[in-house]
Amino acid sequence: MGSSELSVSRLALGSWRTFERIGRERGLVVMQAAREHGITFLDDARYNDETGTAPIPTGYSELLFGELFRAAGWHRDEVVVANKLWWEFWPRESAAEELESSLERMGFEYVDLIYANPPPDGLGISEMVAAVGELMCAGKARTWGIVNWQAGPFLEASRAAAEQGVPQPCAAQLPYSLVRRDWVESAEMGDALAASGAGVVASFVMAGGVLTGKYDRCGTGRASREIDDPTLAPARDCGRRLRALSEELGTNPGALAIAFALANPAVVSVLFGATSPEQIAENTRAVALGPDIGERLRALCA
């Protein structure tokens, strides 16, 4: 992963809006399936309760993640665990305090990778980089990265790290899919990635599930409410093409969507969420498709 010593699996399992919705029993099965399929890169994140049933208002996802992690039999030193700094309570809560609260809920002493969300108003990039550097010096995070930054500020953060002697961000979690390529493929982002040496962790590769074609089969998901929005028409059309190609190749549309991202040399890992062990099995088929499928998919959804 970038200039760090982290070695990550080509697929990463996320837990955004997942485990507190599907229940502990099913969540454990999903965790165990990820482990059985060789996924050793796990991404957790704090967010506010949206179910109305969580025992705490924010971070219940982290509490569940830690419990399921241990129940699934993971060995902490064999897994790369990531979390995020949202700066939601800054400046009342410092970066160290935000991460410490997350670690307490997860039941961990450290995270391997801490992603920094773009800093809020009043927090300069140089100041933010210094705060992240302190987390690494304190042993609370082994490495750091950015999530959903534009190229200009990302490059500024890389330069600030160099000036301060803070390790370069090793990961850039960015949306990247067949229908949303600019985040990763723009010349400006290419410069920022080259300057930092960061590897891309591609997110939203299925465009909220639209590229799987599930909404054309009356499926539900995060894009259910806006599926008829005209701006999603290109993604729905691409999803239909992926479904046709997947039938030809004997695979599934989700695996093809992931394979497209993996074919980009800048992409180190692809992040996805899953609510069943079957999804884990389907998505891991992407790795076997190889990089040659990338150009065919690019032409398919030009």
Side-chain angles (χ1 to χ4, degrees):
M1 179 70 80
S3 59
S4 75
E5 297 180 353
L6 296 184
S7 179
V8 299
S9 52
R10 291 287 273 159
L11 299 180
L13 179 66
S15 59
W16 181 255
R17 298 175 173 175
T18 302
F19 293 129
E20 77 280 16
R21 295 175 182 271
I22 64 176
R24 293 171 187 257
E25 183 176 345
R26 193 172 177 184
L28 179 56
V29 173
V30 169
M31 273 278 202
Q32 291 172 330
R35 185 182 179 198
E36 291 168 0
H37 283 85
I39 294 176
T40 58
F41 189 11
L42 305 177
D43 191 318
D44 191 25
R46 173 186 59 81
Y47 56 93
N48 297 331
D49 174 48
E50 298 173 340
T51 67
T53 61
I56 55 177
T58 187
Y60 187 52
S61 56
E62 295 173 317
L63 191 151
L64 279 177
F65 173 87
E67 291 180 355
L68 293 173
F69 178 94
R70 286 178 282 276
W74 296 99
H75 296 288
R76 183 64 186 88
D77 59 354
E78 296 176 352
V79 182
V80 172
V81 176
N83 207 314
K84 296 179 174 71
L85 291 171
W86 294 126
W87 313 109
E88 184 179 3
F89 305 116
W90 187 89
R92 176 170 55 86
E93 187 175 83
S94 67
E97 291 169 331
E98 182 179 348
L99 178 55
E100 188 59 41
S101 294
S102 291
L103 290 173
E104 288 179 4
R105 286 187 290 267
M106 298 166 73
F108 291 166
E109 296 181 356
Y110 68 94
V111 291
D112 299 284
L113 170 61
I114 187 69
Y115 287 111
N117 206 46
D121 292 340
L123 178 60
I125 288 179
S126 180
E127 183 183 357
M128 187 223 73
V129 170
V132 171
E134 291 174 0
L135 297 179
M136 290 186 283
C137 287
K140 297 299 182 179
R142 293 175 61 194
T143 59
W144 75 287
I146 57 93
V147 56
N148 298 341
W149 285 47
Q150 296 295 329
F154 179 19
L155 185 57
E156 184 179 343
S158 174
R159 290 169 176 164
E163 292 170 358
Q164 297 177 27
V166 172
Q168 285 292 317
C170 70
Q173 187 180 127
L174 300 170
Y176 184 51
S177 71
L178 277 161
V179 292
R180 187 71 188 276
R181 309 176 190 179
D182 54 319
W183 275 86
V184 171
E185 296 185 4
S186 71
E188 294 79 9
M189 186 57 74
D191 291 341
L193 291 170
S196 64
V200 173
V201 178
S203 64
F204 214 61
V205 296
M206 300 182 200
V210 179
L211 290 178
T212 68
K214 69 178 183 179
Y215 298 104
D216 291 331
R217 304 189 302 274
C218 300
T220 59
R222 63 194 303 179
S224 294
R225 294 183 179 180
E226 60 265 13
I227 192 60
D228 293 323
D229 188 323
T231 61
L232 289 180
R236 295 188 72 176
D237 179 61
C238 182
R240 296 183 186 105
R241 298 183 186 192
L242 286 181
R243 188 164 68 250
L245 180 59
S246 70
E247 292 172 355
E248 175 187 334
L249 298 178
T251 185
N252 62 85
L256 289 176
I258 292 173
F260 166 77
L262 288 176
N264 187 327
V267 174
V268 175
S269 188
V270 167
L271 174 66
F272 68 89
T275 58
S276 71
E278 290 78 17
Q279 280 182 291
I280 299 285
E282 289 178 356
N283 291 349
T284 54
R285 296 173 68 181
V287 179
L289 292 172
D292 293 342
I293 194 68
E295 287 305 315
R296 184 173 182 181
L297 292 171
R298 185 179 293 272
L300 186 73
C301 295

